[in-house]
Amino acid sequence: MNKNLKEIPIFFAIDDAYTPFLSVAIHSLIENASKDYKYLIKILHTNVQSGHMEQIKKYEKENVNIEFVNLSYYIEKVKDKLYTRDYYTNTTYFRLFLPELYPQYDKVLYLDSDIIVLGDISELYNIDMGTNLVAAAPDDIIQYNKVFQDYAELVVGVAKYQHYFNAGVLLMNLDELRKFNFQEKFLYLLEKVKFSVAQDQDYLNRLCKGRTTLISHDWDVMPYVNEETKPEDIKIIHYNFAYKPWHFEDVTYNEYFWKYAKETEFYEEIIKVKESYTEEQKFKDREAEKGLVELATKENACVGDDREYRR
């Protein structure tokens, strides 16, 4: 192998229960990635068992290195400040600490683990974002829901809801984020403002507004309402929120997940997860979605609306 291959750092953040789905994401990423790069996959965690690490490490190749990084020591310093709800854990905040944790990198990719990668991930990494802080796709759930559109503009404070991005597929300009003192500003804002709807994603949108490169929707396609999506153009499928094919039968694009899941040694474990997911748990998922709309509605009602004067 050419030892001079350009390196692409890619970060995931999980707890142990998510390891089976991470395996599917990594498998699909490697299968479709260009061989002209070396991929440095770093998995941030606090509790992944050694057996699961060994299973994931089997995906290493000549041009793929996988490292597990335990951030227990780091998160301990701020865990009491980190608000989470529903199925979220503190791992969702890990991406916000990358600029200071990895000063050796100028640019990295952060990916959620509930994804399938169908495109060449190096194309995403090579997107030119100039001096912008991040590059990401508009969030589908925001784009098709009036309550969330208002929330993005009124509560988070983005100029237009179309500019509110999803942080599950994120190209991060660590060099510019450090110059911006992102972590210091995030920790300050964390003490002053509590975003309870999308949490870390809301903080990212608030802090990075005006310095975000919006990328093609094809890099962050969600199983939601978007009639413009052409299957042949999809680069990444993001099974975000409650739209998990390992929980529900009728998730759009579930066939892509199962295609790659069957090729992993976690397949039987994933099947057991699906079979053991109760109707009560499914009901709670649906109620959580309704509750999120209600929460955003309440947040919107607490903020004055001067948008008609700004447009």
Side-chain angles (χ1 to χ4, degrees), residues 12-16 18-19 22 43-48 91 113:
F12 292 90
I14 63 165
D15 59 21
D16 192 57
Y18 239 78
T19 312
L22 170 69
I43 301 161
L44 311 179
H45 71 99
T46 60
N47 66 341
V48 175
T91 57
S113 301

Side-chain angles (χ1 to χ4, degrees), residues 290-309:
K290 296 177 185 177
L292 196 58
V293 173
E294 292 173 1
L295 180 58
T297 301
K298 290 179 181 178
E299 295 272 2
N300 294 345
C302 295
V303 183
D305 188 354
D306 65 347
R307 290 175 296 178
E308 64 180 289
Y309 304 108

Side-chain angles (χ1 to χ4, degrees), residues 134-145:
V134 296
D139 191 301
D140 268 1
I141 292 179
I142 299 290
Q143 307 310 308
Y144 296 94
N145 186 298

Side-chain angles (χ1 to χ4, degrees), residues 3-180:
K3 294 182 179 180
N4 296 317
L5 289 180
K6 181 179 178 180
E7 295 181 343
I8 296 181
I10 303 173
F11 288 83
F12 292 90
I14 63 165
D15 59 21
D16 192 57
Y18 239 78
T19 312
F21 317 118
L22 170 69
S23 77
V24 183
I26 289 178
H27 173 51
S28 67
L29 184 156
I30 294 171
E31 284 294 297
N32 294 294
S34 167
K35 303 299 188 291
D36 296 331
Y37 296 86
K38 182 173 183 179
Y39 302 95
L40 306 178
I41 298 176
K42 299 188 184 297
I43 301 161
L44 311 179
H45 71 99
T46 60
N47 66 341
V48 175
Q49 58 181 285
S50 58
H52 277 167
M53 290 186 192
E54 292 171 5
Q55 286 174 289
I56 296 293
K57 291 277 284 183
K58 291 179 182 178
Y59 290 104
E60 287 190 319
K61 296 185 176 182
E62 275 193 302
N63 69 326
V64 179
N65 174 265
I66 299 175
E67 177 187 8
F68 281 83
V69 182
N70 191 323
L71 287 186
S72 296
Y73 77 96
Y74 198 85
I75 210 69
E76 190 70 25
K77 296 183 286 186
V78 294
K79 67 177 184 179
D80 293 335
K81 301 177 183 178
L82 304 179
Y83 170 78
T84 59
R85 60 162 175 79
D86 299 333
Y87 49 80
Y88 288 96
T89 66
N90 283 341
T91 57
T92 192
Y93 287 96
F94 284 173
R95 74 200 82 182
L96 279 64
F97 301 116
L98 290 177
E100 302 304 322
L101 282 170
Y102 287 90
Q104 67 270 41
Y105 297 137
D106 290 338
K107 183 169 71 167
V108 304
L109 277 170
Y110 172 86
L111 302 174
D112 277 350
S113 301
D114 52 354
I115 63 168
I116 291 296
V117 183
L118 300 178
D120 175 3
I121 202 68
S122 69
E123 293 178 6
L124 175 57
Y125 180 81
N126 286 321
I127 287 176
D128 182 8
M129 57 177 156
T131 59
N132 280 341
L133 302 176
V134 296
D139 191 301
D140 268 1
I141 292 179
I142 299 290
Q143 307 310 308
Y144 296 94
N145 186 298
K146 181 63 166 61
V147 171
F148 291 141
Q149 291 171 7
D150 288 342
Y151 175 82
E153 295 184 0
L154 296 176
V155 180
V156 179
V158 297
K160 297 179 179 179
Y161 71 82
Q162 294 94 335
H163 296 169
Y164 183 98
F165 60 85
N166 179 270
V169 177
L170 195 63
L171 183 60
M172 304 178 69
N173 189 338
L174 298 196
D175 182 48
E176 289 296 327
L177 284 162
R178 285 188 289 268
K179 292 176 184 176
F180 181 66

